[in-house]
Amino acid sequence: MAETTVNIYGKDVAFKVTGQTPLMYRAMFPGSDFLKDFMNLEKNQAQGKAFESIEFYQMVYCLAKKADPEIPEMNAWLDTFEDGFPVMEIVNDILPLIQANFISTQIKKKSKKK
C-alpha cells in the first residue's frame, strides 16, 4: 500500500494505491486497464509528450476514491476544484505513488544449475 496527500489549491487531497486498485479501476471504468494506462502515461511523460488526460483523470480519481470512499462520483468530484484540476502540477506526485505499487520487495533467489 502506498499513500500520499497533495495540496491542490489549498485543499489536501489523499491518494492511495493498494493491490486491489487495478481491479477497482477496471470496475469503475469498464474496458480500461490500469497497468496499460499507467505505462502509457509514464512513457509519454518521460518523453515529454502529451498524454491522454482522460486516463489521468480516471487514475487520479480512482486513487482519491481508494483513499476516501466518501468522495462523490468523478464529475462531481472534479467540479469541487473550482480553479480547474492541475494535471501537470500533480503528475509528478502521482506517478511515484503508482510506481510503488509495482515494485517488488522480494529478494530474487538465484536459481540452482542442474
Side-chain angles (χ1 to χ4, degrees):
M1 172 177 61
E3 294 183 69
T4 193
T5 300
V6 178
N7 189 283
I8 301 175
Y9 300 126
K11 179 180 179 179
D12 285 337
V13 181
F15 298 97
K16 182 178 178 180
V17 179
T18 70
Q20 191 269 342
T21 303
L23 300 174
M24 181 178 173
Y25 183 78
R26 179 168 282 200
M28 293 171 99
F29 308 106
S32 296
D33 182 293
F34 187 80
L35 184 57
K36 180 182 168 190
D37 291 349
F38 168 69
M39 290 176 72
N40 286 335
L41 171 67
E42 187 178 47
K43 177 182 161 189
N44 289 337
Q45 200 264 347
Q47 295 175 350
K49 294 180 181 178
F51 51 83
E52 181 62 48
S53 61
I54 298 302
E55 291 172 357
F56 185 69
Y57 282 130
Q58 291 175 341
M59 292 183 117
V60 168
Y61 175 72
C62 182
L63 302 182
K65 187 76 168 174
K66 189 71 178 167
D68 179 4
E70 299 302 315
I71 65 172
E73 58 86 23
M74 188 171 90
N75 290 331
W77 180 71
L78 288 169
D79 272 348
T80 66
F81 301 96
E82 294 176 5
D83 294 324
F85 195 81
V87 172
M88 297 309 293
E89 292 177 27
I90 69 164
V91 70
N92 290 326
D93 294 316
I94 299 300
L95 287 181
L97 179 67
I98 299 170
Q99 289 166 338
N101 196 53
F102 296 113
I103 295 172
S104 175
T105 58
Q106 186 175 15
I107 298 171
K108 187 175 180 180
K109 295 179 182 179
K110 292 183 180 182
S111 61
K112 296 180 182 180
K113 292 185 179 181
K114 292 183 179 184

